[in-house]
Amino acid sequence: MIKPEAVAAGNMGKILDMIINGGFKVIALKYTRLSRQEAGSFYEVHKERPFYGELVDYMASGPIVVAILEKDNAMEDFRKLIGATDPAQAAEGTIRKNFAESKAKNAVHGSDSDENAALEGDFFFSGRERF
Ligand code: ADP
Ligand code: MG
């Protein structure tokens, strides 16, 4: 996902370009907005963390871009491309280093396992939206 502040700042094209140039194939792509309820359920795993309410409000605050990406070793390679959660810790040349505003508003989301990638893909896309 390209998160609301990165879309609002006009960075969706540059971020998609880095993803495609990084060797990822776009299987599905959508411009959409989460309700608070949907954002809450997407981030259910973080329910007990102190920033959960802030995260849900933020993720529902504006339109986002969501995608399913394919590549050998996709999950790990995508985490490498986006960089650390906190942009202050993110390596040079990563998406978060280039575009994140803060640890909370950090430009992009990446799945943390192949299993969660499949669940998150099913959250946003039907079969006929995948290529
Ligand atoms: P990642 O997105 O790198 O997998 P996490 O899964 O730990 O990171 O956290 C999910 C999201 O919650 C982060 O991308 C960020 O938007 C937000 N977040 C994480 N830690 C904090 C924090 N300490 N304060 C505010 N927001 C946070
Ligand atoms: Mg995570």
Side-chain angles (χ1 to χ4, degrees), residues 63 114 126:
D114 288 347
S126 68

Side-chain angles (χ1 to χ4, degrees), residues 11-130:
N11 291 325
M12 78 163 108
K14 288 178 213 158
I15 292 172
L16 282 172
D17 203 44
M18 286 180 74
I19 292 168
I20 292 166
N21 284 331
F24 293 85
K25 181 184 174 197
V26 177
I27 300 296
L29 185 68
K30 183 177 291 187
Y31 191 42
T32 187
R33 181 173 181 166
L34 293 169
S35 66
R36 285 198 81 258
Q37 194 182 4
E38 287 166 336
S41 113
F42 188 89
Y43 279 110
E44 189 93 45
V45 292
H46 296 309
K47 204 169 47 197
E48 305 306 328
R49 295 172 78 175
F51 56 82
Y52 177 69
E54 176 196 348
L55 177 61
V56 167
D57 284 343
Y58 155 55
M59 289 305 298
S61 68
I64 58 174
V65 175
V66 295
I68 298 175
L69 304 171
E70 184 177 276
K71 185 182 184 297
D72 288 343
N73 205 35
M75 190 280 287
E76 281 181 25
D77 284 0
F78 191 71
R79 308 254 355 156
K80 240 179 252 167
L81 178 68
I82 69 180
T85 306
D86 183 347
Q89 314 291 325
E92 286 299 327
T94 59
I95 292 174
R96 282 169 167 168
K97 181 71 180 185
N98 289 355
F99 300 112
E101 282 182 16
S102 64
K103 189 168 185 181
K105 298 184 176 179
N106 59 0
V108 280
H109 165 81
S111 304
D112 61 9
S113 68
D114 288 347
E115 189 190 9
N116 283 337
L119 291 171
E120 291 173 0
D122 290 344
F123 184 92
F124 285 112
F125 297 101
S126 68
R128 66 179 300 278
E129 295 173 305
R130 303 173 190 222

